[in-house]
Amino acid sequence: MNDYLLGSRTLGVLPVALSLVGCYVSGVSTLGTYSLIALAIIAMAFPVAYVYLPVFYVLGVHSSYEIFFLPMVIHIPSITFQQVTGVHAIIVSTVISVLCIAYTLVVSSLSVCNDWLRLVLTSYHPYVHLQGGIKAVIYTDAFQVSVMFWTVITVVIIGIIYGGGFGPIFEAASDGGRLIFANLNPSMLERQTLWAVLIGGFSFWTCFNAVHQSVVQRYLSLSSLKKARQSILLFTASTVFFIVVLCIGGLLVYQTYAKCDPISAKLIDQDDQLFPLYVMQTVGNLPGVPGLFVAGVFGAALSTMSTVLNTTALVIMEDIVKIFIKIELSPKAANYLVKGSVLILGVIGLALSFLFQHLEGILSVATSLNGLASSALFGMFTLGMLFPWTNSIGALTGAIIGYLMSFWIVFGIQIVNYMGLVVRNKLPLDVSGCPFNVTLPEPQEQPDIFPVFLISYHWTNPIGVGTTLVVGAIVSLATKPTKLSEINMDYLAPFTHRFFRKFMPKPQDTAGPVA
């Protein structure tokens, strides 16, 4: 199991870092992101490396503790493939789900039966070696992320050449009012502000990279805390660089369609299809480029999907069946459990992806639902590591209320958006350059809606985290807080030890009297 869960802690920093990139940078990021989020990612690296990660290493655990993200991962390459080939997204979703579930099942089977298979096969050839579990997932991720990186970089470089260089690209963006770096509006109802992106982005990325099972499992596959911190540094640098490239790609898209908005011209139905449309209409005539682009988006999606399936099945087996239900499984039973979990989770993700065909703005949906799934979890871990008086009643109460608060806001926002009750204040659009007659939609007034459901999606995660922390800390204080003298210091973040050590009982001198 140690080899399956952590690769016997023998993995290298580079493949783990690339695999970490693959955990987050999926097709969702490829089709939509913001430049200022890079600052939030840089700020995230420090607390992850020096507050949360040391606790997991000291404790020597196998896991921390995703199915909301799965349908989005399936949906993104589907709409890209539909834009490139015309094949309906539902058909594509079904095919890629079946393929990814199949190869994840193979990886899981190799993991559980690794020892038996190695014994049988090495009897025929002494150099046969099977890689399963986290090793297989990480090396697959590293390859697929590399494909995705070079795909996007290739498309952007060709686009820059076609666009006449950086000068015309940035000039078009500036003339169109698209270079906005300092919207200081403090309102939480404003969709994109400096505060929303920085605070919400920091909270979201810290939640994801500090305690999510799919990420923590990769940290722990490295042999030391020093190497884990190196992987975080490399992951941060790679992700920031990739976001910069993607934002340049966004400027290329705007330069191309500055005088003819594709949605108003009915060339596409959703803004998520902008980048695939750009690829097909600008560099799609170059041999291999459309296929390369689709391969990059699919590689990112399959990498993330296999990660979700693998790690969630692992949590079901290790943390629920073995720890919570307390059932000891034979290797054969563990094999069936992992396979069944992967299959069921994959089918659920596929079913939910059909729902996502009707949602607009995949970046906001992805951020909102991921924020919902991770805010309460991150809040509980933070209570345990930073608030030593927290008890189980307080932590559980805080998590439940924090989750319900996020659930109410997130799904309320999605419902009013689906009903068409939200009027977005979009930047000015132009259709004067369209080759046919196009009419811009008339501006609409925002109908009266409960203000909570107009909150920017960036704030849903911080609200959930803050609610969990405040409620958890207060309830713990009101219901017999944990005594500091009873706390194992290993469960607290290292930097807090200097503040709480004086409350710990001093070790008794057990030596005999001096003669």
Side-chain angles (χ1 to χ4, degrees):
M1 289 307 299
N2 184 56
D3 186 66
Y4 170 50
L5 299 176
L6 305 177
S8 300
R9 300 185 190 268
T10 58
L11 292 168
V13 172
L14 179 60
V16 169
L18 291 176
S19 182
L20 289 171
V21 175
C23 287
Y24 178 81
V25 180
S26 62
V28 176
S29 305
T30 305
L31 299 190
T33 191
Y34 299 100
S35 59
L36 287 176
I37 203 70
L39 299 178
I41 295 172
I42 294 172
M44 164 277 303
F46 181 82
V48 171
Y50 291 94
V51 177
Y52 296 91
L53 189 56
V55 178
F56 292 119
Y57 261 89
V58 170
L59 295 177
V61 296
H62 282 164
S63 68
S64 63
Y65 293 100
E66 168 173 20
I67 190 164
F68 276 129
F69 197 42
L70 197 54
M72 288 176 286
V73 171
I74 301 171
H75 172 65
I76 286 298
S78 303
I79 61 175
T80 301
F81 198 84
Q82 178 177 343
Q83 189 72 33
V84 173
T85 66
V87 179
H88 198 282
I90 292 180
I91 298 176
V92 182
S93 296
T94 303
V95 172
I96 66 169
S97 295
V98 171
L99 290 175
C100 192
I101 291 170
Y103 90 67
T104 305
L105 284 173
V106 171
V107 167
S108 301
S109 299
L110 288 177
S111 306
V112 176
C113 303
N114 203 18
D115 291 337
W116 179 81
L117 286 169
R118 186 183 293 117
L119 178 64
V120 172
L121 293 177
T122 51
S123 64
Y124 294 96
H125 198 294
Y127 301 107
V128 169
H129 181 62
L130 296 176
Q131 297 288 357
I134 193 64
K135 287 182 181 179
V137 172
I138 284 179
Y139 286 120
T140 303
D141 284 351
F143 174 76
Q144 291 171 330
V145 166
S146 299
V147 172
M148 176 184 62
F149 266 30
W150 287 112
T151 295
V152 176
I153 290 172
T154 300
V155 170
V156 169
I157 290 176
I158 296 174
I160 292 173
I161 296 173
Y162 275 32
F166 286 105
I169 295 171
F170 281 92
E171 183 179 351
S174 178
D175 293 343
R178 260 56 182 182
L179 297 180
I180 304 173
F181 293 104
N183 182 355
L184 301 178
N185 189 336
S187 173
M188 296 177 68
L189 307 184
E190 185 81 12
R191 188 173 175 82
Q192 304 293 345
T193 69
L194 178 69
W195 316 116
V197 174
L198 292 184
I199 298 174
F202 172 79
S203 178
F204 174 84
W205 277 80
T206 305
C207 284
F208 185 87
N209 287 285
V211 301
H212 266 235
Q213 164 63 20
S214 59
V215 175
V216 173
Q217 188 181 356
R218 283 156 175 74
Y219 295 148
L220 297 178
S221 68
L222 292 162
S223 60
S224 66
L225 178 59
K226 180 180 178 180
K227 288 186 176 181
R229 285 172 173 164
Q230 291 173 350
S231 72
I232 294 174
L233 179 62
L234 187 56
F235 157 75
T236 302
S238 301
T239 305
V240 169
F241 170 75
F242 191 58
I243 286 176
V244 171
V245 173
L246 289 174
C247 289
I248 295 174
L251 296 180
L252 287 170
V253 172
Y254 178 75
Q255 181 196 32
T256 303
Y257 301 109
K259 300 299 182 181
C260 184
D261 174 50
I263 297 180
S264 301
K266 307 298 181 184
L267 297 176
I268 55 176
D269 299 321
Q270 300 178 8
D271 52 7
D272 308 320
Q273 299 170 313
L274 273 170
F275 201 36
L277 176 69
Y278 166 79
V279 172
M280 291 306 299
Q281 291 193 340
T282 56
V283 297
N285 62 316
L286 299 178
V289 172
L292 184 65
F293 177 71
V294 171
V297 176
F298 268 79
L302 291 173
S303 171
T304 306
M305 184 177 178
S306 64
T307 294
V308 173
L309 292 174
N310 183 275
T311 55
T312 309
L314 165 65
V315 168
I316 291 173
M317 181 173 69
E318 284 296 303
D319 295 315
I320 297 179
V321 174
K322 289 187 176 182
I323 304 296
F324 186 72
I325 306 179
K326 300 185 184 301
I327 297 178
E328 285 295 326
L329 298 175
S330 65
K332 185 176 181 179
N335 187 18
Y336 284 133
L337 176 62
V338 171
K339 285 182 177 180
S341 300
V342 169
L343 183 59
I344 293 172
L345 291 168
V347 171
I348 293 174
L350 174 60
L352 290 176
S353 73
F354 297 154
L355 173 64
F356 276 72
Q357 310 291 333
H358 305 287
L359 298 180
E360 295 184 9
I362 197 64
L363 179 62
S364 61
V365 174
T367 303
S368 298
L369 292 185
N370 263 318
L372 167 63
S374 62
S375 57
L377 173 67
F378 177 74
M380 290 184 71
F381 273 93
T382 303
L383 283 169
M385 295 182 187
L386 300 182
F387 298 83
W389 63 85
T390 302
N391 58 28
S392 57
I393 297 175
L396 187 59
T397 303
I400 292 174
I401 295 179
Y403 186 86
L404 291 177
M405 175 70 77
S406 297
F407 184 91
W408 175 52
I409 296 174
V410 168
F411 279 90
I413 291 174
Q414 297 306 320
I415 290 172
V416 297
N417 271 298
Y418 183 75
M419 296 174 64
L421 300 177
V422 177
V423 177
R424 297 180 181 175
N425 296 321
K426 294 186 177 182
L427 294 172
L429 300 174
D430 191 347
V431 293
S432 61
C434 293
F436 45 86
N437 187 30
V438 177
T439 304
L440 289 172
E442 293 292 330
Q444 298 176 323
E445 292 186 3
Q446 175 64 58
D448 290 334
I449 299 177
F450 189 44
V452 169
F453 300 137
L454 296 175
I455 288 177
S456 169
Y457 66 90
H458 288 294
W459 292 108
T460 55
N461 183 269
I463 289 173
V465 173
T467 302
T468 301
L469 293 178
V470 172
V471 173
I474 293 176
V475 171
S476 295
L477 288 172
T479 57
K480 194 179 179 181
T482 301
K483 295 181 181 179
L484 295 179
S485 59
E486 300 174 355
I487 294 175
N488 182 346
M489 293 289 283
D490 290 342
Y491 289 97
L492 301 178
F495 82 92
T496 66
H497 292 185
R498 69 185 69 178
F499 304 111
F500 300 123
R501 196 179 300 278
K502 60 183 178 182
F503 298 103
M504 302 295 143
K506 296 181 180 179
Q508 295 186 5
D509 186 2
T510 56
V514 178

